[in-house]
Amino acid sequence: MKVLVIGNGGREHALVWKLHQSPRVHTLYCAPGNPGIAELAECVPIAANDLNGLLQFAKEQALDLTVVGPEEPLTLGIVDAFQEAGLAVFGPDQQSAQLEGSKAFAKGIMAQVGIPTAAYADFTDLDAARRYVQEQGAPIVIKADGLAAGKGVTVAETVEEAEQALEEAMGQQIFGASGTRVVIEECLRGEEMTVLAFVDGETVRPMVPSQDHKPIFDGDLGPNTGGMGAYSPVPHLEAALPAITETILQPLASGLVQAGRPFRGILYAGLMMTAEGPKVIEFNVRFGDPEAQVILPRLKTDLLEIILATLNGSLATLPIEWHSEASVCVIAAAPGYPGPPTKGLPITLTEGTGEAAQLFHAGTRLQEGQLVTNGGRVFGVTAQGQDLEEARSRAYAAMERVQFKGKQFRQDIAAKALRR
């Protein structure tokens, strides 16, 4: 099969890496890709949000399948456009993608279906939002309604901090149109966990869970990022998996079918494990980043077969198997991140990674033959082991292979699980 993966980050490198292992894939493209992806697939210089360019390329190459990595093209309606052209594409349609594209929309769906989540209100008026924050007090959570590359959420410990977040989102519009509406939520306490699932209408097939680390610094301190690392399994939280499927994943899928808009693709549930049970922080409609980098190495079943089963309606009967090994990913970030990162820094990679570790390129490019930084998150350094301790040790050993000026990374990825 001829397959195209859309995107250029660490998640897309992991998707390409996994699809490259399928015996049924004979030609693999990625648009626009990155230098790491280029070692496994032919990179095509078409931006992930250039729907017309991507559609034209798919037609010219007579692609058998397109796999959409990032959220932006999904919310722009790329699946609808490909389907109208008779092309096979993996991901939810534009309407379903609003689960991620609008936090207010997702909250409304959760309220209709009865899915446990934080109490909230949404606003388009800055003064009204300020008054609400003053009435509710802190801690409180401020979220830009639209897409903000994982940076549109502020967990405000004081009213003043919340008001500053509102001013930045709605007044200064640092997230553009995504911040013209905000969702203000109660602050949930507990541990976060991510559960992704392959979904084909009523059929929900959960993946192995993972735990992401959003704040930039050790100890979950500092501003939020797109994710500084992840690990899987999550032994101390996995007893809740049946409840998560029963109270969150399946009700959402069934509710969308009943509403006449069945979901097909990847459903990502970002959860807070509270004293009252799991509650939804957010839904995404694609693989997480860096969650994909720890989940996909654990997937034993051919990813292509799962995608095809999701598209042809046979997901319920397909056996899906997982490796028992643990997986840990540590992000190597550029200086300045999660603010504007320093780009163009020369990168040196030394030899040494074996089969148990992978360097997933995220923000890299070639500049006159030299690999340089080209984004905030530069690499996802991932490794597997018999248990989390071994996988973690291998990931941090592999991190030493990646050198560039000002490299920053958290040193406590998976430490929560080991402390248990």
Side-chain angles (χ1 to χ4, degrees), residues 28-85:
L28 194 52
Y29 300 101
C30 189
N34 65 40
I37 292 172
E39 297 176 6
L40 301 171
E42 180 181 337
C43 290
V44 184
I46 306 173
N49 60 5
D50 181 1
L51 270 56
N52 290 332
L54 292 166
L55 183 58
Q56 182 179 347
F57 177 79
K59 290 177 178 178
E60 290 173 351
Q61 298 300 321
L63 296 178
D64 297 300
L65 174 67
T66 296
V67 178
V68 186
E71 59 274 21
E72 185 183 12
L74 293 169
T75 60
L76 291 174
I78 189 168
V79 169
D80 309 68
F82 272 56
Q83 288 177 342
E84 288 172 9

Side-chain angles (χ1 to χ4, degrees), residues 106-107 110 115-118 143 185 188 247-249 268-272 277-283:
K107 282 289 194 178
M110 284 187 266
I115 291 173
T117 186
K143 295 182 175 181
E185 294 183 349
L188 300 176
T247 65
I248 294 169
L249 300 176
Y268 167 123
L271 308 166
M272 185 68 77
K279 295 187 178 184
V280 175
I281 302 170
E282 64 176 353
F283 282 121

Side-chain angles (χ1 to χ4, degrees), residues 85-107:
L87 294 164
V89 58
F90 181 67
D93 62 21
Q94 187 173 27
Q95 187 176 37
S96 295
Q98 286 304 298
L99 281 171
E100 180 168 0
S102 169
K103 295 177 179 64
F105 174 85
K107 282 289 194 178

